[in-house]
Amino acid sequence: MAYLKLSEQVQKLSNLQRSDAFVKQFQIAVREGKIEAVKLPGARFELPKQFKRRSGDGETYNKLARDMLFEVTPEFQAWFEKIDAQLREGRASAPRVSLESIESGAVDFKALAAHTRQQMEASFLKGQKLGSANRKAKARSRKK
């Protein structure tokens, strides 16, 4: 059987900016027993993904990950293709609520209106409950 390092397999990803997510998925698969792998003592590699610091100066850095050695099997190849396709698709995010997104139909206006109504009702009831609790507290303090 052929063996391969995780650092070499990461380079085969179609979207290198998702290498951190791939490493997490790989570790989960090893933990669940889907992939047979061995940690290489003291071996680390730099992920190709560029991370940005939140300080706002635009500085980027790379993270290190522990390197592992695994067996390349047909099952692994199928798993890799599936995970690579998922990571290639990217993250699906809901469209932002705006006049344009409502007019284009990307956002359901009726569902948003129902959600807004529920939020406003919950807020109103919370205020009523708070107000009645304050009235009861004042009434108790007057009786004493």
Side-chain angles (χ1 to χ4, degrees), residues 53-72:
R53 299 212 187 273
R54 293 187 181 206
S55 61
D57 57 358
E59 182 184 342
T60 61
Y61 65 98
N62 293 66
K63 288 185 179 179
L64 294 176
R66 220 175 247 174
D67 212 352
M68 299 176 84
L69 188 68
F70 63 95
E71 204 171 18
V72 180

Side-chain angles (χ1 to χ4, degrees), residues 3-140:
Y3 296 99
L4 196 62
K5 287 184 177 182
L6 179 59
S7 55
E8 296 168 359
Q9 188 67 35
V10 164
Q11 297 302 322
K12 295 179 182 178
L13 286 170
S14 57
N15 184 357
L16 292 178
Q17 277 299 103
R18 300 298 309 272
S19 59
D20 60 328
F22 172 74
V23 170
K24 281 184 185 179
Q25 290 294 325
F26 184 85
Q27 291 170 344
I28 290 169
V30 170
R31 203 172 338 146
E32 292 174 349
K34 295 177 184 175
I35 299 171
E36 297 292 325
V38 185
K39 287 182 183 177
L40 296 174
R44 292 186 175 268
F45 69 98
E46 198 171 86
L47 292 174
K49 178 177 179 173
Q50 295 286 310
F51 294 89
K52 291 185 180 178
R53 299 212 187 273
R54 293 187 181 206
S55 61
D57 57 358
E59 182 184 342
T60 61
Y61 65 98
N62 293 66
K63 288 185 179 179
L64 294 176
R66 220 175 247 174
D67 212 352
M68 299 176 84
L69 188 68
F70 63 95
E71 204 171 18
V72 180
T73 62
E75 293 83 18
F76 171 78
Q77 291 294 343
W79 176 87
F80 177 74
E81 292 300 323
K82 184 179 109 183
I83 295 296
D84 192 34
Q86 287 175 355
L87 295 176
R88 194 177 321 122
E89 290 172 9
R91 298 177 220 148
S93 61
R96 291 193 174 208
V97 178
S98 66
L99 177 63
E100 293 80 24
S101 64
I102 291 172
E103 286 177 343
S104 70
V107 177
D108 184 14
F109 179 76
K110 298 281 185 189
L112 282 173
H115 182 68
T116 302
R117 191 177 316 107
Q118 288 172 347
Q119 283 182 324
M120 291 178 76
E121 181 67 21
S123 178
F124 175 76
L125 292 174
K126 183 178 176 182
Q128 292 295 313
K129 187 177 175 183
L130 260 170
S132 66
N134 286 341
R135 279 192 295 268
K136 289 178 185 176
K138 287 181 182 178
R140 282 190 215 126

